[in-house]
Structure formats: structure tokens, C-alpha cells
Amino acid sequence: MATAFKEIGPGIEFQGGNNDKNPDQKQSGLKLKRQVNLISGITLIIGTMIGSGIFISPKGVLLGCGSIGLTLLVWTGCGLIALGGSISYVELGTMINMSGAEYAYILKGIGELPAFLFAWTSIIIIKPSTASAIAMAFAEYTTQPFFPGCSPPPTVMKLLAAFCIATIAFINCYSVKWATKLQDIFTVAKLIAVFGLIIIGFSELGRGRTQNFQNSWEDTQTNPAVVALAFYQGLWAYDGWNNLNFAIEELKKPQKNLPRAVLIGIPLVTVIYITVNVTYFTVLTRQEILDSAAVASSVADRVIGQIPWLVPMFVAFSTFGACNGSSFGAARLNFVAARRGHLPKILSMIQRDRLTPMPAIIFQAIISIILLIPNDFNSLINYFSFSAWLFYGTTFVSLLILRRRQPEAHRPFK
């Protein structure tokens, strides 16, 4: 272990190199390299955000809204919330050059105890449940062509989801470049899928198929609590907007590339989500969407029914890429918190040859696989959502505290 891994002390900034040749580097310890460029940063955001949500959540959002008009407004509102949150994170990320996102910002703004609580909540609940939920969606869409008209056996689903998580862990352990290249490839694949759906929708609109948009505000839900649940489903689809902040120490030129990646990635995802929903409402009626187990597949079956495996294949690519992006960020959080002493010390070690936080990646994968046991997608979302948004709010409080406590601090983006 001592020859393969190197422990990283608290507060050290990482950037790989040969420590034996440079005494200053030797004092700082082994370092992670800045290998994530602007394009990889954008694909990390887009690739994590566009996962299972846009293919699963539309049904839940429509159920909470009641009408097409309010549904489209909620999807737009969720995008604005994600953009607003990400802009706050850009200010924090360019001010505090430390990976870990919420953990780093809560630590600097509020203190050790809240950061400690976030680290343990995240390592046990937030990050593993996210990866497990996405992996289950991957398994569902991958097996769908082989079980037409029925649900796949739960054991098959769990094994395939576990295989997905284990494969991603291996790739992330082997090479950061492999992980980011994989993210680039699967982001392109998922963009092909969503743009394919958008083309289907607009071609149908061009043929005059607009009847579903008549009386768009009919049956609009007026109960605020029910509409709030619709936002709850929509925000799940947008989650991942903060993922690049988990790897700030590996991002090239973070003060420039973080704002650019966020301001390109999140508006693009918002436009994609709205137009994909327009496609759903163009091809399917409101009731057909509510009755569908997989809305994207129902659209494809209606328009290009001769190729039933096409959409499930691209959705599987989408969810695999999202799971990779989520796991990439989660391992960095574990690594940074362990480096500070808030998690077991072994998680603060990196593999000497690969310069990857291998122990943190493996530990995260094990917890994610354990959470597959309940086999309940909604339970996994519930595990995630309450805890995640509680700490998102705490992070925003940290931003206000830092503005008040350190008004003269250098803020490249404000």
C-alpha cells in the first residue's frame, strides 16, 4: 500500500509532477493533475444533468401540474433555479480553489462541524443514492428490448446496475483522461438521442399536429403543495449542475473555464428539456404520457415503431454517462473530506502511477452497489432529494456569510 498510494495532507493544492526532482513539490506531496479542459467541463455538466430524469420525470411533473402550460413553465422554472444555483457556485468555485463543492464552501463559510456532517451525509446517502438510481435506470432501459410488454426480473436489473457501477469505478480508477473521454463520448450519444426526439417533435408540428396544445391550461393544478412536488421531480432531472465544482483542482484555468462551462452547459440543457417536452406533448396526449412507463420509448414507438430498440439504446448511453459523471464528482468529495480528516484517512490517498483517488472511487462504488438492494427507484430519489437540497441551501448561506465576513476577498466572478 505504501508504495502504491500516497497520502495527501489537508489544504494542499494538487497538480501532478515528479516530487523527487523538486524539493518544493516533495514538501507538498503527490499531486493530482489539472487534466479537465473547457470541453470536458461542459460535457461533465451536460452529461451528468441529462441522465434518466428527462426520460422518467416528465410523467411526475405533468401529474403535479395537471396541464401542459404549467408543465412547461415548471420545466423552465427548474432550469432557472439550477442556473441561479450554479452562478452562486461559480462565485464560490472561483474564490475557493478547493475541490469538493458544497463540502469546501460550507467548510470555509460556516465551519468544521457542518462540513463534517455534509461529508458523512453525502458519502452514505446523497452521492451513492444518485449513482444507484441512475444505474437502475440504465438497467431498465438496457433490458427493455429483451422483455417487451413486461418488467425485467429484479435480479437481472440489480446485477446489470451493479455491473454499470463497477465498470465506471474501474475506468475512473485507471485514468482521469479515460473517465473524461468516456464522458465526452456518452454526452455526444445522449445529445444525439435528445436532438433526435426534438427533430421528431418539430417534424410532427410542421405537419400540423398541434391538437394536443389546444386548451393547454385545462386542468391546471392550483394546490401549491402538489405543484411543489412537480418542481421536486423536475429538479431531480436538473441535478448535476454543480458537478464541475467537485473537481475544481483538476480543472484547467478554473477562474475562466468554470464560468464558461456553467453558462454554456446549463442554458443548453434547459432549452433541450423544454423542447423535448414539447415533443412529448406533440406526439402523445396528456393521458398517454401519464399511462406510459417510458415516455421517450412511447414517442419512438408511435413515430418509428419499426426500430423499438433505438431509443432504449440511446437512453442507456445517456444514463451510463450520467452515472460516470456523478461518480467522478463523488469520489473527489470523499477524497477532499478525507484529506481534511473528516473521513477515513485511506480515502485521502491517490494511486501513484495513475494519479487517481482510487480508494475513494472504490469505496463510493461499494456503497452505491449496497443501495441497489431495495430495488426502488422512488426510494432512491427520496433518499437523495431532501438531504441534497438541505445542503444546497446551507451552501447558499455560506456564500452570504463569506460576502459579509470577507468583502475584500478576490472574487473573479460575482
Side-chain angles (χ1 to χ4, degrees), residues 234-276:
L235 289 171
W236 160 257
Y238 277 97
D239 194 70
W241 50 265
N242 59 337
N243 215 45
L244 187 57
N245 290 71
F246 284 99
I248 285 292
E249 293 172 15
E250 295 167 87
L251 178 65
K252 297 178 180 178
K253 300 178 181 178
Q255 294 184 351
K256 291 183 179 180
N257 287 337
L258 179 62
R260 290 173 180 173
V262 164
L263 294 177
I264 293 172
I266 295 175
L268 178 60
V269 171
T270 302
V271 172
I272 288 172
Y273 279 5
I274 294 169
T275 50
V276 167

Side-chain angles (χ1 to χ4, degrees), residues 37 39 55 72 110 134 160 194 203 206 227 239 242-243 249 278 288 300 338 344 358 360 369 403:
N37 58 26
I39 298 300
F55 306 109
L72 295 177
I110 301 179
I134 299 172
L160 191 55
V194 294
S203 65
V227 176
D239 194 70
N242 59 337
N243 215 45
E249 293 172 15
V278 169
E288 285 172 336
M358 187 179 292
I369 291 172
R403 282 185 176 180

Side-chain angles (χ1 to χ4, degrees), residues 172-191:
N172 278 268
C173 286
Y174 188 79
S175 169
V176 172
K177 285 187 177 180
W178 274 31
T180 55
K181 289 296 182 185
L182 182 74
Q183 194 67 24
D184 295 347
I185 293 169
F186 279 96
T187 297
V188 171
K190 69 180 64 182
L191 288 177

Side-chain angles (χ1 to χ4, degrees), residues 6 8 12-17 19 25 28-36 99 172 176 246-251 328 331-333 335-336 339 347-358 360-361:
K6 177 72 176 181
I8 302 298
I12 294 174
E13 183 172 333
F14 311 100
Q15 181 183 0
N19 299 314
Q25 285 186 340
S28 297
L30 199 63
K31 301 176 181 180
L32 293 172
K33 291 182 178 180
R34 292 191 182 273
Q35 302 183 70
V36 181
S99 293
N172 278 268
V176 172
F246 284 99
I248 285 292
E249 293 172 15
E250 295 167 87
L251 178 65
F328 183 91
R332 271 65 188 172
L333 168 62
F335 169 75
V336 172
R339 186 179 68 191
L347 300 183
S348 70
M349 297 182 179
I350 65 174
Q351 214 281 338
R352 279 186 177 273
D353 299 326
R354 300 295 174 187
L355 294 178
T356 58
M358 187 179 292
I361 294 169

Side-chain angles (χ1 to χ4, degrees), residues 175-327:
S175 169
V176 172
K177 285 187 177 180
W178 274 31
T180 55
K181 289 296 182 185
L182 182 74
Q183 194 67 24
D184 295 347
I185 293 169
F186 279 96
T187 297
V188 171
K190 69 180 64 182
L191 288 177
I192 291 173
V194 294
F195 282 126
L197 287 170
I198 291 169
I199 291 170
I200 288 173
F202 280 91
S203 65
E204 292 298 309
L205 283 174
R207 295 173 183 172
R209 193 169 183 170
T210 60
Q211 64 271 20
N212 292 342
F213 292 96
Q214 297 174 2
N215 303 318
S216 294
W217 296 94
E218 186 178 357
D219 297 324
T220 296
Q221 178 61 247
T222 57
N223 186 337
V226 178
V227 176
L229 291 176
F231 271 96
Y232 177 88
Q233 290 285 334
L235 289 171
W236 160 257
Y238 277 97
D239 194 70
W241 50 265
N242 59 337
N243 215 45
L244 187 57
N245 290 71
F246 284 99
I248 285 292
E249 293 172 15
E250 295 167 87
L251 178 65
K252 297 178 180 178
K253 300 178 181 178
Q255 294 184 351
K256 291 183 179 180
N257 287 337
L258 179 62
R260 290 173 180 173
V262 164
L263 294 177
I264 293 172
I266 295 175
L268 178 60
V269 171
T270 302
V271 172
I272 288 172
Y273 279 5
I274 294 169
T275 50
V276 167
N277 273 277
V278 169
T279 294
Y280 293 157
F281 290 125
T282 300
V283 177
L284 303 175
T285 66
R286 176 182 176 277
Q287 193 58 47
E288 285 172 336
I289 292 174
L290 293 176
D291 292 340
S292 174
V295 182
S297 295
S298 298
V299 169
D301 290 344
R302 178 68 57 86
V303 180
I304 49 172
Q306 298 86 353
I307 319 176
W309 51 266
L310 184 63
V311 169
M313 179 185 71
F314 276 106
V315 175
F317 289 163
S318 175
T319 50
F320 190 89
C323 193
N324 177 66
S326 178
S327 300

Side-chain angles (χ1 to χ4, degrees), residues 100-119:
E102 291 89 357
Y103 172 79
Y105 311 145
I106 293 171
L107 176 67
K108 297 293 185 182
I110 301 179
E112 298 275 349
L113 180 58
F116 173 83
L117 293 174
F118 171 77

Side-chain angles (χ1 to χ4, degrees), residues 74-154:
V74 166
W75 279 103
T76 305
C78 289
L80 293 175
I81 291 171
L83 182 60
S86 66
I87 289 173
S88 299
Y89 275 52
V90 168
E91 178 178 338
L92 289 164
T94 53
M95 176 187 174
I96 302 170
N97 190 22
M98 179 179 177
S99 293
E102 291 89 357
Y103 172 79
Y105 311 145
I106 293 171
L107 176 67
K108 297 293 185 182
I110 301 179
E112 298 275 349
L113 180 58
F116 173 83
L117 293 174
F118 171 77
W120 279 99
T121 303
S122 182
I123 195 174
I124 300 300
I125 298 176
I126 298 175
K127 291 302 179 181
S129 64
T130 302
S132 298
I134 299 172
M136 286 296 293
F138 166 81
E140 180 177 348
Y141 274 91
T142 301
T143 56
Q144 190 179 77
F146 303 100
F147 296 91
C150 63
S151 299

